[in-house]
Amino acid sequence: MTGDGTKVVHAGRDVATGDPIAPQPVLASAFHLGGADFYGRAGNPAWRELEAAIGSLDGGECVLFASGMAAIATTLRVLTAPGDTVVVPSDGYYLARRHAGEVPGLAVRSRPTAGPWTAADVEGARLVLLETPSNPGLDVCDIAAITALAHAAGALVAVDNTTATPLGQQPLALGADLVVASDTKALAGHSDVVLGHVSTASAELAARLRDERTVGGAVPGPFEAWLAHRGLGTLDLRLARQAANAATVHEALRDHPAVTGLRWPGASSDPAHEIASRQMRRFNGVITFELVSEEAVASMVARSRLIAPATSFGGLHTTADRRAQWGDPVPDGLVRLSCGVEDPADLVADLLTALT
Ligand SMILES: *Cc1c(COP(=O)(O)O)cnc(C)c1O
């Protein structure tokens, strides 16, 4: 048993004498035939190394994709057929919901992450997609309990683990059939790569996903895979600082007169804390809160020196995203604040000044 820092540095690595100590990109599209690789759309060493690493952290077999959406879209394509029903989170990542709605013949049932979940919610479904903590509301659902309901109804369960990361939550150990994730966020963590993956404990399912990736062509670049692998090595360090920053910011905003609806599952006062602390291994740096209006958010961002207005989250830089601008069904002044790895005191001082 090793700690998270050791795990992410060494995950999936099998270094022999004379090998580079860190992962390296192999950019080839064509390989001299007879070895493990033949063509860049089917496979390459940079993918394999990162898949071994993420798979070992997720506790399953990992298949990389060009983006989180490619991972989700390929999962739907492989697991569902016309006439099937898929359950999606009504408060989860908006494009997953939209994509499911655009698959011909697929019936989409949306349910709030916070539930309550009963057998009726998953009845007749082929696939249940959960997202916990949900993005951007940060509600949490009980993966093991919903998986039991879904399995009893003959449905498979996929959990979008983007916000939690493999260090924060282990859906496969909780019984889920698949993990889907955008590694664009905290896993790669440096706001310079778009990537996604699916992990599953089923070798048969992994083979089908891998085959669909080769045929469908939603392949990541080897350079992106390498960048993500480079980022993964510091995931433990980054999450630790991001969570410390989130805790400090949460404390500072708790009684702030301009702020309502403050959410961070890591806080003992948060409505999701009880279930989150049972289910999650550790917390992260994503916080949600509301200001009174769109203008109030714009003014906060304009006055801040450290908080960049940007979508995406989980990177080194603290960013604020007003989610209503992307069509999320949330109030105009709702902000998803992704705490970066700056110093807690600097971040809080900057945020409090920006909110004056
Ligand atoms: C960003 C995100 C996605 C989509 O991932 P991309 O890498 O942007 O395609 C899916 N789910 C969640 C929860 C996300 O935050």
Side-chain angles (χ1 to χ4, degrees), residues 120-249:
D121 296 308
V122 297
E123 193 188 330
R126 169 70 185 136
L127 175 69
V128 178
L129 175 65
L130 303 175
E131 188 179 308
T132 176
S134 61
N135 171 17
L138 303 183
D139 273 322
V140 172
C141 62
D142 187 330
I143 295 172
I146 298 168
T147 298
L149 291 176
H151 284 173
L156 293 170
V157 175
V159 178
D160 189 325
N161 209 35
T162 301
T163 312
T165 85
L167 294 186
Q169 183 166 271
Q170 304 255 268
L172 299 182
L174 295 165
D177 302 285
L178 306 108
V179 166
V180 296
S182 169
D183 302 324
T184 310
K185 317 292 168 48
L187 192 142
H190 291 69
S191 308
D192 54 12
V193 53
V194 173
L195 196 74
H197 81 270
V198 181
S199 288
T200 171
S202 160
E204 185 261 340
L205 218 51
R208 283 165 61 197
L209 288 160
R210 210 177 289 283
D211 188 54
E212 182 62 26
R213 177 182 64 184
T214 302
V215 174
V219 295
F223 190 78
E224 280 75 7
W226 168 69
L227 270 178
H229 205 158
R230 198 172 192 268
L232 177 64
T234 54
L235 180 59
D236 169 60
L237 289 173
R238 289 184 283 107
L239 278 182
R241 175 58 75 89
Q242 287 167 342
N245 276 343
T248 310
V249 167

Side-chain angles (χ1 to χ4, degrees), residues 308-331:
T311 192
S312 195
F313 57 90
L316 301 181
H317 305 76
T318 296
T319 56
D321 193 15
R322 195 179 66 79
R323 289 304 299 175
Q325 72 186 304
W326 308 108
D328 275 2
V330 297

